[in-house]
Amino acid sequence: MGKYLFGTGIIGAVISGFSLLRALREDTFTWRTALAWINWGITVALAVGAIIDMRRIDQGKPVPADSPAARRLED
């Protein structure tokens, strides 16, 4: 489980989340801050999706055809 949680996508999302929280305490909430939080949410969703796909591959289960991990299986 550790190889999934310590992937670069999750680590990057956590670090950027801390940066956003620090900026939220120091600055006022603007439309740029809202876009940054939306971007962070998308980043977390993509990282979690990649973890789910990797785990499905490791368990021998099929992954969706639109997943980058599915292309890895074809090679």
Side-chain angles (χ1 to χ4, degrees), residues 46-61:
L46 289 172
V48 170
I51 289 171
I52 291 170
D53 286 347
M54 287 188 322
R55 184 157 181 181
R56 289 179 67 92
I57 288 173
D58 289 345
Q59 293 175 347
K61 296 179 181 176

Side-chain angles (χ1 to χ4, degrees), residues 5-75:
L5 293 180
F6 295 114
T8 57
I10 293 294
I11 291 174
V14 168
I15 291 171
S16 65
F18 283 136
S19 298
L20 283 172
L21 283 173
R22 189 175 343 121
L24 189 62
R25 281 187 279 158
E26 296 171 1
D27 296 333
T28 59
F29 192 83
T30 64
W31 64 273
R32 289 184 181 101
T33 307
L35 288 178
W37 278 104
I38 291 169
N39 183 30
W40 179 81
I42 292 169
T43 302
V44 170
L46 289 172
V48 170
I51 289 171
I52 291 170
D53 286 347
M54 287 188 322
R55 184 157 181 181
R56 289 179 67 92
I57 288 173
D58 289 345
Q59 293 175 347
K61 296 179 181 176
V63 294
D66 64 344
S67 171
R71 286 186 224 113
R72 191 176 88 187
L73 286 175
E74 293 172 359
D75 295 335

